[in-house]
Amino acid sequence: MGNPCLATQYHTLQSSPVISVSSCHQTGYSLQNDNHAASGYYLPHGLRPNGAPALESPRIEITAYSQYPEDEVEESSSEDHIIKRGVNSIVTLTLPNADGYRDPSCLSPASSISSRSCNSEASSYESGFYNYDNSPQNSPWQSPCVSPKGSSMLLSCPHASGPAGSPHNSPSTSPQIGAVAEEGWPAQLRGSRPNSPSYSGGGGGNGGGGGMGKRKVSLTDENWLANTNQYTNSAIVAAINALTTDGVIDMGEGIPIKTRKTMMDHSPSMSLKVEPGGEELGLDGELCHEDYPSRLALKKENYCGGFLDVPQHPYSWSKPKPYLSPSLPALDWQLPSCSGPYNLQIEVQPKSHHRAHYETEGSRGAVKALSGGHPVVQLYGYMESEPLTLQLFIGTADDRLLRPHAFYQVHRITGKTVSTASHEVLQSNTKLLEIPLLPENNMRAIIDCAGILKLRNSDIELRKGETDIGRKNTRVRLVFRVHINQPNGRTVSLQTTSNPIECSQRSAQELPLVEKQSVESYPATGGKMMLLSGLNFLPDSKVMFVEKAQDGHHLWETEAKVDKDSVKCSSLVVEIPPYRNQRLTSPVHVNFYVCNGKRKRSQCQHFTYLPPNVPIIKTEPSDEYDSLGTAGLPMRSKHYYSQPRLTPIMPVADPDACLVGVYPPCPPRHVAIPSSSPSSSPTLQDLSPVAYSKCLPSSPTRETPVCPNLTHPASPDHNTCLGMLHSQGSPGKLNSPGPHGYHPIYANSSPSSSPVSHPSTPGGTAESPFIQTYSPSQAQATASPPSLLPEDASPPSMAITVKREPQDQLDQMYLDDVNEIIRNDLSSISVHTHA
DNA sequence: GATCTGGAAATACAA
DNA sequence: TCTTGTATTTCCAGA
């Protein structure tokens, strides 16, 4: 089994074999008048709408047996942009040849063995563009498990529905209808509970039966889900299972018996749960999706092992067109929240606590906002009329780079109280909730449909390759993504993350949480007052500063003085204690935490003691937090995972070396920015201190298109602009600094990074991971492109070597480098001055 | 009747 | 290896 590391996988994506599956035509959104999208959707690789060079990859073509009547085919085939699919249309499917987005050392829950069951299979093929990390071993064709639901997609003809499709097709249709109605997934997905075999995918549904009756072989729905899961089809999986080395298979003959069986009698066994106006989409991955719990594997396998039920999806509410690019960035890629005119913002942050529910429990509802409402996300700068899809998944909140959380999954909430439409899909074994972002709603979405499911630690930890530990790893973040197709064929991917959310029952009420700190670093002499903002601070809360050696043992620990009088539940003022060694020659990275008692500690926050004579690295004032500052203490978000915004005082050796953003820096928000997002994502996801040093102009205020010159360590898609811009060819120039001047990076969240999560280990703050990936010193060594880089990788300037080193060591390296640069800079200034 | 919640007992783990 | 304290899971019951 190869290294499933995302990097690798992604990297190999371009050279991965492509399976062309001839299947029934898929109208997908074509009916909705989006040729562009459609084409993109159907031309994952070799075929680019814009004629961009297709990836040169070996292909395996599968001629699928058409399930659709010719007439239907014609209807759907009207889409020129789509590869003509007659009875035997061809769809190219990229076969990811890499494993899960996490390598063995960074497996996600899904990467476990169990995840390789039907679920993962299904998920892997949910869509060619959704799953890149499917390694051969994960290949559906290696597994008998096939998602019944999925099967429909491939074999079925999507929406060849009536002319113009159903009214629901209209993107403008209120998603809410679907929202409330649709429930297919949730019901099954919920809690990853064993799905009943009897659950058939969209058989019922409003569409399935009557309205959509025209579709004899229903199967897919071009509905939203269908689109997003185009390749999720079990059918495809089945086809692949039957795949021969010949490459071309007549689906009629080649389709696994199971598949054909499915087509023949899918209805009987399908007791599709029909919901009002519901969309029974999602079913396809669902049945097999959830294999998190290994204990369920058996059941699922049994189920999956059966013939494929082909759900007859009813037509569903119109959904925004899903992102159609075949090369979406992996979930553990760090993406910017803003690029060019676009800015993805979390307008209303979720509450810091949300008790996740177990599979054995009922839902505990949707994540709520502090105000009592729900989180709100909005995309600014998007002026097109095309709806977009907002993706949401549960990410980590530890001190490492953001990545899908192994122990938590987003859970779709439905019900009368839910006003936002959504559906679940799997990407890289991580469940994503897709929510429409509609122009009519000002590209704003109220996230009232997202709950959080807790997977049992044992189920995840026992999985082969899983290295994360679940114990005390109970904090998560909501991660939102949106992919915007550009006229030039590229795609801009934005991502924003919420504040951390504590998901455990107990700690939610007892553990202190530090969200912000007013001081990042200070001379070893200490004495300065630092304001901490967060939750659950008590009058008797203690603030402990600790320094640990690389091996983890304590080198120093001291209790800081807390101003008892000023302690509030949400804020606390503490005096920075003097460091043990006043003769520092280089910055020392320490941590501190708030303690409400034994075992009731906040996660560690980072703090840096500076040598007496070294200028303090100025912490860029956070406009967002200034208002929070009290007593003249400017606050800045400093979650253990956040990235300190260092004023880029480091010289930029070669700004040009950095990819230049396609867009100028994010313009100031042209829309009023809700003040309710004190720690809106941008701040939280600035994970690239080095990016600054390498790409940022020397002036923090300079709005020069800068792009994260960080290429995904092993990104195969260098030329897709490191994940943010999925260009079909040219190396993209990337993005711009965020509103605050910092730059997001597209660094791999290091699937191979520390294998074990350190929820409570301060370890490397946000910067750590970054440094780990691109430390200044390493950047210099970039001269020699890492072997991980694709051959067709971008220009030398982009070839940034990614060398992984011990976290602490890197932290220090980074600090040392910064320090040195500062010194040099100062001496230089000094010289000039005197001169 | 299905959900959502808050509590807490039963277990599993770790120090 | 036993004890004790925590953390995790599973159950219950009320709204």
Side-chain angles (χ1 to χ4, degrees), chain A residues 160-243:
Chain A
S161 56
S166 81
H168 299 302
N169 259 352
S170 169
S172 60
T173 300
S174 171
Q176 307 214 328
I177 295 173
V180 178
E182 64 179 286
E183 168 121 287
W185 273 58
Q188 301 177 10
L189 287 181
R190 179 158 305 145
S192 310
R193 293 173 182 166
N195 298 303
S196 168
S198 62
Y199 230 129
S200 54
N206 47 359
M212 294 293 124
K214 187 170 183 177
R215 286 185 279 169
K216 298 174 182 176
V217 182
S218 80
L219 311 192
T220 58
D221 21 38
E222 58 294 277
N223 53 34
W224 194 16
L225 178 61
N227 286 296
T228 59
N229 296 316
Q230 177 172 2
Y231 295 124
T232 306
N233 289 309
S234 303
I236 282 184
V237 172
I240 293 174
N241 277 327
L243 183 63

Side-chain angles (χ1 to χ4, degrees), chain A residues 751-763:
Chain A
S752 59
S753 61
S754 69
V756 180
S757 63
H758 305 287
S760 56
T761 301

Side-chain angles (χ1 to χ4, degrees), chain A residues 751-814:
Chain A
S752 59
S753 61
S754 69
V756 180
S757 63
H758 305 287
S760 56
T761 301
T765 43
E767 59 222 26
S768 300
F770 171 81
I771 295 169
Q772 185 172 36
T773 305
Y774 300 96
S775 71
S777 57
Q778 291 170 347
Q780 295 178 356
T782 309
S784 58
S787 58
L788 291 176
L789 292 174
E791 295 181 358
D792 60 343
S794 21
S797 61
M798 294 177 64
I800 295 179
T801 301
V802 176
K803 177 183 177 182
R804 300 190 182 295
E805 307 213 14
Q807 189 71 56
D808 294 337
Q809 194 177 329
L810 287 169
D811 288 345
Q812 192 56 54
M813 288 173 63
Y814 173 65

Side-chain angles (χ1 to χ4, degrees), chain A residues 247-270:
Chain A
V248 177
I249 296 176
D250 176 312
M251 291 301 266
E253 296 296 328
I255 288 181
I257 293 175
K258 290 178 182 178
T259 303
R260 282 190 270 178
K261 165 93 175 178
T262 298
M263 300 181 199
M264 294 192 276
D265 61 357
H266 63 274
S267 49
S269 63
M270 309 191 135

Side-chain angles (χ1 to χ4, degrees), chain A residues 332-653:
Chain A
D332 56 357
W333 277 41
Q334 312 304 304
L335 303 177
S337 62
C338 131
S339 174
Y342 311 119
N343 192 350
L344 184 62
Q345 298 273 327
I346 294 178
E347 299 303 317
V348 177
Q349 288 284 342
K351 287 172 61 177
S352 59
H353 295 113
H354 175 82
R355 182 173 164 181
H357 66 272
Y358 284 84
E359 299 165 329
T360 54
E361 298 184 299
S363 167
R364 285 189 175 278
V367 173
K368 299 176 181 59
L370 195 58
S371 60
H374 294 278
V376 175
V377 176
Q378 184 163 6
L379 172 64
Y380 292 100
Y382 181 76
M383 305 303 180
E384 305 303 315
S385 59
E386 281 294 317
L388 295 177
T389 295
L390 178 68
Q391 298 182 319
L392 162 61
F393 65 91
I394 304 301
T396 57
D398 57 28
D399 53 358
R400 291 183 290 160
L401 288 179
L402 174 70
R403 63 191 180 292
H405 205 297
F407 302 89
Y408 293 89
Q409 291 284 337
V410 66
H411 170 244
R412 178 167 169 269
I413 302 294
T414 58
K416 298 176 182 177
T417 60
V418 178
S419 63
T420 303
S422 68
H423 78 254
E424 294 174 315
V425 296
L426 272 184
Q427 180 177 338
S428 301
N429 296 311
T430 293
K431 200 180 293 181
L432 280 76
L433 208 53
E434 294 196 325
I435 300 163
L437 269 184
L438 309 173
E440 52 264 46
N441 290 339
N442 202 24
M443 301 310 282
R444 181 186 180 89
I446 297 174
I447 315 302
D448 60 357
C449 53
I452 301 176
L453 168 69
K454 173 68 169 65
L455 303 178
R456 293 191 303 200
N457 295 337
S458 58
D459 288 333
I460 303 304
E461 295 169 344
L462 292 178
R463 288 179 175 169
K464 180 181 179 182
E466 180 56 60
T467 54
D468 273 4
I469 54 176
R471 195 175 177 79
K472 299 176 94 173
N473 184 1
T474 57
R475 289 185 182 179
V476 309
R477 279 181 285 172
L478 299 184
V479 184
F480 298 93
R481 281 188 172 186
V482 66
H483 307 287
I484 310 166
N485 284 322
Q486 299 298 294
N488 61 6
R490 292 179 178 176
T491 297
V492 172
S493 293
L494 302 178
Q495 171 178 299
T496 186
T497 58
S498 73
N499 286 341
I501 301 171
E502 171 58 53
C503 294
S504 65
Q505 173 188 7
R506 188 184 70 79
S507 56
Q509 302 159 357
E510 302 174 351
L511 291 181
L513 170 67
V514 178
E515 296 182 324
K516 310 178 187 76
Q517 65 189 76
S518 63
V519 182
E520 289 291 322
S521 58
Y522 199 73
T525 52
K528 180 182 179 65
M529 301 304 285
M530 173 168 68
L531 172 64
L532 303 182
S533 179
L535 291 172
N536 297 332
F537 294 149
L538 304 172
D540 59 347
S541 290
K542 295 179 180 179
V543 177
M544 306 298 293
F545 276 68
V546 301
E547 179 184 14
K548 292 182 179 179
Q550 287 188 18
D551 60 7
H553 73 265
H554 281 59
L555 291 177
W556 172 66
E557 179 172 311
T558 188
E559 181 179 345
K561 294 179 183 177
V562 175
D563 180 355
K564 307 279 185 186
D565 299 330
S566 63
V567 175
K568 294 179 183 177
C569 178
S570 60
S571 66
L572 177 160
V573 176
V574 61
E575 180 181 333
I576 298 170
Y579 183 59
R580 62 188 173 92
N581 177 7
Q582 296 296 306
R583 298 179 179 179
L584 290 181
T585 56
S586 62
V588 174
H589 209 59
V590 302
N591 302 294
F592 71 85
Y593 59 82
V594 176
C595 178
N596 282 353
K598 192 177 182 181
R599 299 262 181 174
K600 294 179 182 178
R601 300 176 177 179
S602 67
Q603 287 203 325
C604 287
Q605 305 297 118
H606 299 285
F607 186 80
T608 302
Y609 278 109
L610 305 171
N613 299 321
V614 173
I616 299 173
I617 295 177
K618 178 184 176 183
T619 296
E620 204 167 76
S622 171
D623 44 0
E624 292 182 332
Y625 305 118
D626 285 347
S627 60
L628 295 176
T630 56
L633 296 175
M635 294 296 290
R636 73 174 279 293
S637 175
K638 175 58 168 72
H639 291 292
Y640 41 92
Y641 53 86
S642 68
Q643 187 61 41
R645 280 186 270 167
L646 304 177
T647 297
I649 54 179
M650 292 172 274
V652 179

Side-chain angles (χ1 to χ4, degrees), chain A residues 743-757:
Chain A
H743 297 266
I745 63 173
Y746 298 98
N748 176 2
S749 63
S750 76
S752 59
S753 61
S754 69
V756 180
S757 63

